[in-house]
Amino acid sequence: MTKKARALSAQSRRQFLKATAFGVAGAALGARPGLSAPKTMSIMHENSFIKTFDEYFQKTLIPAYEKLTGVKIKYELVSVGGLQTRVTTVAETGTGPDMTLNFFNWPFLYDEKYVDVGDIAEEAGKKNGGWHDAAKEAVVVNGKWKAIPFGNVGQLMNWRTDWFKEAGVEKFPETWDELLEAGIKLKANGHPFGFELGHGFGDNHGWLYPLLWSYGGREVEPDGKTVVIDSAETARAVDFARIFFQKTMLEDVLGWTDPNNNKAYLSGQISCTNNAESILWAAKRDFPEIAAATDQSLNPKGPTGQRFHILAPWSHSIFTHTGDQQAAKDFLRWLMEPPQVGGWYASADSYYAPFLHAFDDAPLWHVEPRNIPYRDSLATSHLPGWPAPVSRASSESVAKYVVVDMFAKACAGKSTKEVIADANAQLKQIYRPA
Amino acid sequence: MSAHSEPIPLQAPRRRLLPALRDWSEREEVFSWLMILPPMAFLVALVGYPFIYGIVLSLENRPVAQPGTFIGLGNFLADFRDPTFWQVVQNTFVYTAAATLLKMVGGLGLALVMNQAFRLKNLVRAVLLLPFIVPTVLSTIAWMWILDPSFSVINWLLVHGGLAERGPSWLGNPALAMTSLIVVNTWRGLPFYAITLLAGLQTIPPELYEAATIDGAGALDRFRYVTLPLLKPVVFIVTMFSLIFTFSDFQLVYVLTRGGPANATHLFATYAFDIAMSGGQFGLGASVALAMLPPLALLIVALALYLRRA
């Protein structure tokens, strides 16, 4: 044991004694929340890309809560990419951690195994200036809050300001057509674009759904039943994607999964991609020159004059199998109080764009002003399948990569008619009446 | 020593019982069952139960974390109407056929070479097994680097060797992606073939070769009339195993392409996993996984019949 470790363990012993004393005192007074709570509870998270974020939870939030209530919180970290399998197992078997982090549409997938947390969510909204609309889209299932929204890991256009400038483009293009024009020049200069068209999780959906929507295309009507992918709007979006791919990109992108565009961008092979903040974050750490010449912008507008973004929300839920649901609720309620949630958000700078309006102008946005478009993108962010509500069918469509592959096949050379017919057949099957 | 005298009456019946039990258990029909029982229990628990559960799931509309409802063959009908499903079928067959054939030919060649006497033979044999020993996920990550769109070593060599301006897109081009996967699978499965066939080769009595040589048979004839016929049973067994493993491959595809580009490399197992896990449709996922059973069973029965006839 090093000196430091010894000091720490001595400190943690002291903390433990203190916490126990507090707990006993609390129990005696009977006024603290969670007084009849179990001594330990657990919450599952996936290893965050931002190390300080996990550390803040483990070293600041957990000890603070223990000090206050005597309840020990176990922060169970799952390796990247493994959380959904874990949540599925826990939901299926009814054993395991009490609470979990969710990505994307999980509150809809596991809703029957999640506790209604509407009371906490409403209260957190009131105390923190209200929720962004996108937050509700992410977690309200059949009128019930099945999770407490946290933040959004948005996707924006990441681009090289130096190379764009070289090609005569000073500002990031406002429309897809202008972006295509810029891309042609950049590719000619040896700086192609790279947008994922393969089977990753985020970076493909991150630009393809917004592209489809901004052209007026939709998978289904808001009723969540009528398939409308076969439209002139979709056809125009597909035609655009094919040209955009051929004239600005390399064939590689068809086989890309999520890490590929980060690597290609950071090695100076591409001049523009659609990604979360991870590129800028890693560039600042490892490639300062690239970071200095990188900016992030909102997705371009389509012919409809609108722009869209993908919603990639993080939220927290309580499993129904949890022994003491009240204790879990007490913890989440405490977490969402302004001092706690504010510190939690700030620990990752603005990587997780807060869903709470009170943080719209918080200092965390000034740490990296290039992240401000992430906040601005929330108003135009939606989950795949929009404008229909999330359903089992929309999840199946995402799992089968229907929209991604429609575009990918067109880029690989199939006709627009063919790829839309394929997508239409698949969607009709997926959205068939039960 | 009265304490010793007490147990005697108790031991008396046991003495009669024990030999009887031993006699009974040593009867062949009993003993064989006793020996088979533990592995049977093991199989039932770890293979039988999940398998039956899989069949039940495939007949249900069973979203994740929700109770299922019986829908008969509904999931299978849905699969048959799904164009991607048919692409998956085609991919799996191409993948299995090509990889198995390559492994068979390559493995046989390798075994023949290994069967010769040369220096460091044992070391080479041990090294040969490496691809098979290294956990697939690890070795596939190495392949990921070899085939990486941005940092492919092959492409680096091609470009720096002045052979190409930029290398091909190994995982981005649908046909090349499938080819790459077949190559990686062959690389991984080759040692299994080679070692098994090598073991088979070593059981062939040298006298047969001597006799053939005396009869005037050349190297090719010896291979055709002695080696091949005697090796056939081993070839079939190893092919059967290989077919099963290749047909139901998962890790390789999952690490390298996740089924992309545009489903060009999706196999039964990866497609089933995506539907069940990401899509939360256990029933439909199980039906895709089970759909691989009939063709696989047919292949194996055909092989077994052929083997018996031979």
Side-chain angles (χ1 to χ4, degrees):
Chain A
M1 220 191 239
T2 62
K3 224 175 182 178
K4 201 173 165 196
R6 258 198 303 275
L8 271 175
S9 89
Q11 196 183 354
S12 65
R13 268 198 298 277
R14 266 200 300 283
Q15 274 170 350
F16 173 76
L17 287 174
K18 243 195 257 172
T20 322
F22 265 105
V24 171
L29 291 169
R32 303 262 173 194
L35 93 119
S36 60
K39 280 284 165 260
T40 51
M41 271 189 305
S42 49
I43 182 164
M44 257 196 310
H45 250 246
E46 191 167 288
N47 265 313
S48 171
F49 180 75
I50 312 291
K51 291 284 155 276
T52 48
F53 178 75
D54 285 334
E55 278 169 18
Y56 186 78
F57 200 93
Q58 288 165 307
K59 294 187 182 154
T60 306
L61 291 174
I62 292 179
Y65 192 67
E66 194 181 340
K67 210 167 161 186
L68 184 71
T69 62
V71 176
K72 239 191 166 93
I73 303 291
K74 213 173 127 215
Y75 193 54
E76 236 182 72
L77 275 174
V78 177
S79 60
V80 175
L83 189 59
Q84 190 172 19
T85 320
R86 189 81 179 94
V87 172
T88 304
T89 317
V90 175
E92 279 289 320
T93 57
T95 51
D98 305 294
M99 292 161 273
T100 186
L101 164 74
N102 297 300
F103 297 147
F104 312 114
N105 56 5
W106 298 358
F108 294 81
L109 280 181
Y110 308 104
D111 72 312
E112 289 198 5
K113 303 287 175 179
Y114 285 166
V115 176
D116 181 354
V117 287
D119 48 345
I120 311 174
E122 305 276 1
E123 196 186 311
K126 261 186 224 136
K127 286 187 177 168
N128 294 287
W131 292 103
H132 279 260
D133 285 340
K136 293 174 203 156
E137 183 179 329
V139 304
V140 178
V141 185
N142 298 323
K144 285 185 181 151
W145 295 71
K146 284 301 178 128
I148 300 164
F150 179 68
N152 189 48
V153 187
Q155 297 263 136
L156 291 180
M157 291 293 170
N158 291 234
W159 57 290
R160 285 287 293 257
T161 48
D162 50 347
W163 289 338
F164 269 67
K165 206 172 186 176
E166 213 176 83
V169 187
E170 300 273 341
K171 222 171 115 260
F172 194 76
E174 271 292 292
T175 66
W176 285 107
D177 285 329
E178 287 166 29
L179 183 63
L180 168 67
E181 226 174 281
I184 294 171
K185 288 184 206 152
L186 278 147
K187 192 178 178 183
N189 288 352
H191 306 304
F193 288 176
F195 289 73
E196 182 193 321
L197 277 157
H199 279 192
F201 285 124
D203 300 339
N204 41 9
H205 296 118
W207 72 285
L208 290 169
Y209 272 103
L211 174 71
L212 177 71
W213 295 332
S214 71
Y215 271 75
R218 309 276 187 266
E219 286 177 277
V220 269
E221 293 283 19
D223 65 5
K225 290 176 194 150
T226 323
V227 175
V228 288
I229 192 80
D230 191 357
S231 67
E233 289 81 9
T234 307
R236 272 198 290 276
V238 170
D239 285 339
F240 172 81
R242 188 188 294 108
I243 295 174
F244 189 51
F245 163 78
Q246 286 167 347
K247 301 217 161 156
T248 72
M249 297 186 220
L250 304 167
E251 193 186 17
D252 300 342
V253 298
L254 288 169
W256 277 6
T257 53
D258 289 347
N260 291 114
N261 61 339
N262 294 49
K263 288 197 277 181
Y265 189 95
L266 292 174
S267 60
Q269 299 189 353
I270 54 172
S271 58
C272 180
T273 189
N274 187 272
N275 204 70
E277 198 213 328
S278 55
I279 285 186
L280 182 58
W281 192 283
K284 282 199 285 194
R285 190 187 55 205
D286 302 325
F287 307 97
E289 301 99 64
I290 294 182
T294 294
D295 204 353
Q296 302 174 115
S297 299
L298 293 174
N299 289 343
K301 290 176 184 165
T304 56
Q306 284 177 291
R307 61 171 109 240
F308 290 95
H309 298 84
I310 205 76
L311 186 59
W314 280 34
S315 61
H316 295 94
S317 293
I318 303 170
F319 286 108
T320 46
H321 70 246
T322 300
D324 190 344
Q325 294 181 0
Q326 195 49 48
K329 280 187 166 184
D330 286 342
F331 175 61
L332 289 186
R333 180 175 284 120
W334 176 83
L335 265 184
M336 296 310 287
E337 276 171 14
Q340 283 80 261
V341 77
W344 199 10
Y345 281 135
S347 69
D349 294 348
S350 40
Y351 195 80
Y352 306 104
F355 278 130
L356 289 158
H357 281 300
F359 297 93
D360 285 352
D361 293 309
L364 60 94
W365 288 112
H366 305 300
V367 178
E368 178 48 84
R370 284 177 287 183
N371 282 349
I372 289 175
Y374 283 107
R375 176 195 67 197
D376 301 339
S377 74
L378 284 177
T380 49
S381 292
H382 298 290
L383 286 166
W386 179 85
V390 177
S391 61
R392 282 180 33 224
S394 70
S395 311
E396 189 181 329
S397 163
V398 173
K400 288 184 168 176
Y401 296 97
V402 174
V403 167
V404 170
D405 285 346
M406 175 178 76
F407 284 110
K409 283 186 225 166
C411 293
K414 269 189 155 187
S415 77
T416 305
K417 221 174 141 186
E418 237 177 314
V419 298
I420 294 179
D422 276 357
N424 192 39
Q426 270 188 298
L427 288 175
K428 286 225 159 117
Q429 184 58 39
I430 291 170
Y431 281 91
R432 68 192 180 277
Chain B
M1 300 300 253
S2 60
H4 274 281
S5 61
E6 265 174 333
I8 289 172
L10 285 171
Q11 272 175 355
R14 206 187 293 164
R15 247 184 214 156
R16 279 200 301 276
L17 193 72
L18 269 179
L21 195 71
R22 194 182 302 139
D23 285 349
W24 178 76
S25 68
E26 277 176 5
R27 280 159 58 191
E28 199 179 326
E29 65 270 28
V30 177
F31 187 71
S32 52
W33 275 108
L34 279 179
M35 287 291 101
I36 287 174
L37 223 53
M40 280 259 287
F42 191 72
L43 278 179
V44 166
L46 294 179
V47 180
Y49 173 72
F51 179 66
I52 304 286
Y53 187 56
I55 294 180
V56 173
L57 274 183
S58 74
L59 301 175
E60 283 184 343
N61 176 13
R62 169 75 163 79
V64 60
Q66 284 175 39
T69 44
F70 181 80
I71 52 160
L73 294 175
N75 287 326
F76 292 96
L77 290 177
D79 290 335
F80 294 157
R81 288 197 207 104
D82 173 10
T84 310
F85 175 81
W86 290 109
Q87 195 180 351
V88 165
V89 173
Q90 194 192 328
N91 291 344
T92 312
F93 272 89
V94 169
Y95 180 71
T96 309
T100 309
L101 203 70
L102 281 175
K103 278 185 275 190
M104 195 195 296
V105 175
L108 186 58
L110 213 52
L112 288 171
V113 173
M114 289 295 130
N115 200 27
Q116 309 299 314
F118 56 89
R119 282 174 84 188
L120 301 177
K121 185 170 76 178
N122 287 331
L123 182 75
V124 173
R125 280 185 188 174
V127 170
L128 189 76
L129 267 175
L130 268 182
F132 199 61
I133 296 168
V134 178
T136 306
V137 171
L138 281 186
S139 59
T140 311
I141 285 173
W143 278 100
M144 212 157 104
W145 177 61
I146 294 173
L147 304 169
D148 189 282
S150 325
F151 302 100
S152 160
V153 202
I154 307 178
N155 288 359
W156 189 89
L157 288 173
L158 286 177
V159 172
H160 285 80
L163 295 168
E165 202 165 309
R166 51 171 285 109
S169 180
W170 298 107
L171 300 175
N173 177 294
L176 268 181
M178 180 51 102
T179 314
S180 303
L181 285 179
I182 290 170
V183 168
V184 180
N185 181 288
T186 306
W187 171 85
R188 190 189 52 182
L190 209 59
F192 175 62
Y193 258 94
I195 293 293
T196 320
L197 293 181
L198 180 62
L201 279 178
Q202 287 175 344
T203 61
I204 300 174
E207 302 85 54
L208 290 179
Y209 288 113
E210 284 163 19
T213 316
I214 292 165
D215 285 345
L220 259 182
D221 287 329
R222 284 202 299 271
F223 176 72
R224 196 173 152 198
Y225 296 107
V226 180
T227 313
L228 219 46
L230 287 171
L231 207 56
K232 225 183 206 169
V234 185
V235 172
F236 277 118
I237 297 286
V238 73
T239 304
M240 204 136 79
F241 272 116
S242 172
L243 272 180
I244 296 170
F245 291 139
T246 316
F247 209 87
S248 56
D249 200 3
F250 175 84
Q251 306 176 64
L252 227 166
V253 176
Y254 207 68
V255 175
L256 284 180
T257 63
R258 285 183 163 271
N263 301 321
T265 57
H266 242 328
L267 305 180
F268 275 116
T270 51
Y271 192 49
F273 181 84
D274 270 355
I275 293 174
M277 280 300 174
S278 319
Q281 299 270 49
F282 280 4
L284 199 66
S287 75
V288 171
L290 269 184
M292 85 177 126
L293 191 69
L296 202 54
L298 265 180
L299 273 171
I300 288 165
V301 167
L303 265 177
L305 282 179
Y306 189 79
L307 187 63
R308 183 175 288 181
R309 213 191 46 175

